[in-house]
Every structure is written in C-alpha cells, then in structure tokens.
Amino acid sequence: KEKRKDKTMKINGALPIPREEIQSILDSPIPWDGDDGDIEDNSKRLLGTLKDEEQVEMASCASYAYWLATLSDTPPTQEEREKMALREMRRHLVKTKFDDAVGLLQSTIRVRTEHRVDL
C-alpha cells in the first residue's frame, strides 16, 4: 500500500467558498444542545481511540470546510482540527452505542485510507 503523503496540494486561485465563510464554520460551536453529557464525553473517548495524528486529521477532513482550509494559505489551527474531529466523533455517536461507534469509525477510516477520499 502507498503511504499517505503530507498535504502539499494547494488550490490555485480562489477557494470555492470564501475563506471567511470557512472560518465561520470552523469557529462555530459543536452542537452539544440537548445532550445530557454522554455524547460529549463519549465523543472525547472515541477521539482517544484513534491511533495517531494522521487518523485525527482524517476524521477532521470529513468536514468539507476543514478540508478546504487545509488547502488554503491559512491552514486550520490545532484547536480547529480537534473541534472538527470531535464533530465527526459526535456524528458517529448520535444514534449508536459507543462500542458500535468504535467499529464504525475504524471502518470509515479504513475506507477513507484505501480510497484516498480526502485527496
């Protein structure tokens, strides 16, 4: 298998969405509303199951706004990266038990790696 390379691709010219709009998405809070705390706590636990920084980055890139920001002249911060990864963890936990979410997340990462979805 080909090992994933660092992202060096940049978009030539303007982004398809203005950078200010991308930033507003990155700045928006994670929608924990209506959560009794379990989803937030389990999202953080689920994030902790990722094996390395590359998997955290892959989870973050599930956000189109985050992915576009990685290609811009102003890359996302570590805080924005973690927030987008937590949003992806939340998505896996909304209707699924924690143990099932771990398996689904690992399957998602495997498919994204095999098919190079974030390129």
Side-chain angles (χ1 to χ4, degrees):
K1 287 185 178 179
E2 183 179 326
K3 183 158 173 107
R4 209 172 143 200
K5 298 176 184 172
D6 288 340
K7 288 192 173 98
T8 55
M9 183 176 94
K10 295 287 182 204
I11 292 178
N12 291 327
L15 294 170
I17 299 171
R19 185 63 172 94
E20 297 78 30
E21 288 183 39
I22 293 170
Q23 192 61 49
S24 72
I25 294 168
L26 297 177
D27 290 342
S28 65
I30 299 170
W32 302 121
D33 297 347
D35 175 22
D36 60 4
D38 286 346
I39 291 179
E40 183 175 358
D41 292 343
N42 282 335
S43 293
K44 291 174 183 175
R45 280 182 51 213
L46 188 57
L47 183 61
T49 68
L50 297 180
K51 295 179 173 109
D52 55 35
E53 292 300 311
E54 185 174 332
Q55 287 189 348
V56 174
E57 179 72 11
M58 192 172 294
S60 301
C61 282
S63 162
Y64 182 63
Y66 179 87
W67 178 76
L68 280 177
T70 66
L71 303 177
S72 75
D73 292 334
T74 310
T77 65
Q78 183 69 23
E79 180 181 321
E80 291 164 342
R81 178 176 159 209
E82 185 174 323
K83 183 191 291 184
M84 294 300 111
L86 279 171
R87 284 180 181 213
E88 180 66 2
M89 302 305 106
R90 179 187 172 277
R91 186 180 74 75
H92 281 280
L93 288 164
V94 169
K95 298 279 183 182
T96 309
K97 294 180 182 179
F98 181 82
D99 291 336
D100 294 334
V102 172
L104 289 170
L105 177 62
Q106 290 303 321
S107 293
T108 300
I109 287 173
R110 190 171 31 261
V111 168
R112 290 180 73 87
T113 301
E114 289 172 3
H115 297 283
R116 300 177 66 183
V117 171
D118 62 334
L119 296 179

